[in-house]
Amino acid sequence: MLFPDYRPRRLRQSKAFRRMVRETELSVNDLILPLFAVEGKDVKNPISSMPGHFQLSVDHIVQTAEEAHGLGIPAVILFGIPSDKDSLATQAYKKDGIVQKTISAIKERIPDLAVITDVCLCGYTDHGHCGIVNGQIIDNDATLDLLAKIAVSHAKAGADMVAPSDMMDGRVAEIRDGLDENNFSHIPIMAYSAKYCSAYYGPFRQAAESAPQFGDRRTYQMDPANAVEAIREATLDIEEGADIIMVKPALSYLDIIYRLREETDLPIAAYNVSGEFSMIKAAEQLGWMDGTAVMLETLTSIKRAGADMILTYFAIDAAKAIG
Ligand code: PBG
Ligand code: ZN
C-alpha cells in the first residue's frame, strides 16, 4: 500500500499510539555505572572533563553506589587509582588494594548491587600500558598470568563479575582457568572483546591517571577502521569462555554492536565511553544542546543497535530521567 492509502503518520499522531508502536525501551535495568576509587578518607576529587564525576574514596563510593542502587541501577564497574605504580602492576592484585577494599565495602553495605571490576594493568603500571613492557614491546604472554591473578583477587574480595579490558590475546581463557581453579567457576567474564584504539578515552585517562607514558595502544587495541575483525575477536572470546561480550566505544561503533548482535546469542554490553559523555556535557554547558534529551537519544540508539546493557557515566542522570 502506498500514499495516499498508507500514511505512516497515522501511528505517530498521539502519545498513546507512539508508545504502542515503540520498538526500543531504555530501562534502568540496562545501566551500569563506572566509578573511580582512590585511597584516603572523604576524598572527592572532581574530574574536570567529566562533570558530576569524581575520584572517590571508599566512603564516598559506597554513598554513590547506594544512590545508584536506590535508583534501581543493577550494577557498578570499578576502576582503581593506586597510590603507587610500578612496572609490574603489583598494586593491582594486592589483597588490600584499592579496588579490593572498595569491593568489600560495597558488598557489605549493598549486597544486592552487582559489583563488576575492570581487569587491566594500565592504572597500576608506571608506564601506563595495559600489559607488561619488554623494551618497547607489550609482552602478551607475560601479561596473561597477571591478569588472571588480578581477576582472582577481585573475586576473592567479593566481585560479582570481572571485565578484562587489556586486549591481550588469550586472556579470557587464562582468566577463566584462574577463576575456576580458585573455586570461582560461578563468576562471569564480561570481555571487552571489540575494544578500539580510540581518542574518545581521553577524559577517562585523566580520571584514571592511566595514559601510556610512551607510544600508544595501537599494538593491542583495535583499529577503528575494522569491523570484520571485531567478529573474529568476539568469536575468540566466546570460545575462550566469555559470558558477555563488549563493544567499546559505543556511539561511533553502533555498526559493530549491530553486527555482533547478528553473530552471537550472548548478551552484548556497550561502553558509552568518557569522551562520548564529555561531548554531550560540554555542549549542554555551552547551551548548545538539550543535554538530557541528547543523553536519552544516545542511550536509546545504543540499545536499538542491539546492546543489552550500557556502561555509562550517564547512569544516574538517565535513571533519574527515565523515572
Ligand atoms: C583501560 C580502560 C580504558 C577504558 C576502560 N578501561 C581506557 C584505555 O584503554 O585507555 C576507557 C573508558 C572510558 O573512556 O570511559 N584498559
Ligand atoms: Zn588498560
Side-chain angles (χ1 to χ4, degrees), residues 55-320:
Q55 296 179 335
L56 299 170
S57 52
V58 176
D59 45 339
H60 281 292
I61 286 230
V62 172
Q63 267 181 30
T64 305
E66 270 178 331
E67 185 189 5
H69 179 62
L71 287 163
I73 294 168
V76 294
I77 179 162
L78 300 180
F79 297 91
I81 299 139
S83 41
D84 289 308
K85 305 190 189 220
D86 57 34
S87 62
L88 298 173
T90 51
Q91 301 284 320
Y93 50 86
K94 254 188 24 181
K95 193 159 178 268
D96 62 345
I98 180 63
V99 163
Q100 290 79 356
K101 281 191 291 199
T102 307
I103 299 165
S104 6
I106 295 176
K107 289 311 290 185
E108 193 175 311
R109 276 288 280 280
I110 325 159
D112 290 344
L113 181 72
V115 175
I116 307 170
T117 56
D118 185 86
V119 173
C120 200
L121 267 55
C122 55
Y124 301 84
T125 48
D126 47 16
H127 47 71
H129 276 288
C130 304
I132 294 300
V133 167
N134 226 328
Q136 295 286 101
I137 304 278
I138 315 303
D139 188 336
N140 191 87
D141 298 13
T143 305
L144 298 180
D145 177 48
L146 278 180
L147 292 167
K149 235 163 139 168
I150 297 170
V152 169
S153 80
H154 291 170
K156 281 187 178 154
D160 298 294
M161 188 185 298
V162 294
S165 66
D166 52 283
M167 287 300 278
M168 297 300 124
D169 297 331
R171 90 263 211 223
V172 172
E174 190 88 6
I175 290 171
R176 185 71 271 157
D177 282 352
L179 290 171
D180 292 355
E181 281 163 18
N182 287 277
N183 294 318
F184 294 116
S185 58
H186 59 291
I187 300 292
I189 299 174
M190 175 194 279
Y192 287 70
S193 300
K195 179 176 179 181
Y196 286 88
C197 191
S198 171
Y200 283 98
Y201 305 151
F204 172 95
R205 291 184 188 166
Q206 181 201 344
E209 301 174 9
S210 64
Q213 299 303 302
F214 68 88
D216 53 42
R217 303 208 203 288
R218 280 179 222 274
T219 66
Y220 42 107
Q221 297 181 345
M222 282 181 57
D223 183 339
N226 295 354
V228 176
E229 187 187 353
I231 299 172
R232 215 148 58 222
E233 280 283 6
T235 306
L236 286 171
D237 284 356
I238 294 166
E239 279 177 22
E240 289 180 29
D243 299 279
I244 298 174
I245 57 171
M246 192 201 295
V247 175
K248 176 184 177 194
L251 208 42
S252 288
Y253 300 86
L254 294 179
D255 58 324
I256 309 300
I257 298 172
Y258 184 81
R259 283 186 192 229
L260 291 185
R261 176 73 295 156
E262 305 277 288
E263 292 289 330
T264 173
D265 51 11
L266 282 192
I268 295 177
Y271 202 138
N272 175 220
V273 301
S274 57
E276 301 175 55
F277 172 83
S278 301
M279 288 194 302
I280 294 174
K281 285 287 178 189
E284 179 181 42
Q285 286 185 359
L286 286 164
W288 289 355
M289 294 196 301
D290 176 340
T292 304
V294 174
M295 163 186 76
L296 292 173
E297 184 176 332
T298 301
L299 295 173
T300 301
S301 73
I302 296 169
K303 193 132 187 245
R304 190 195 63 228
D308 298 287
M309 60 197 95
I310 308 171
L311 298 91
T312 178
Y313 303 94
F314 285 119
I316 286 184
D317 294 349
K320 287 179 180 164

Side-chain angles (χ1 to χ4, degrees), residues 6-23:
Y6 182 62
R7 292 172 179 269
R9 287 187 56 195
R10 282 189 194 120
L11 293 178
R12 285 182 213 134
Q13 65 184 295
S14 69
K15 191 161 184 202
F17 282 1
R18 290 192 298 272
R19 283 170 55 205
M20 288 161 69
V21 300
R22 184 160 297 144
E23 299 172 37

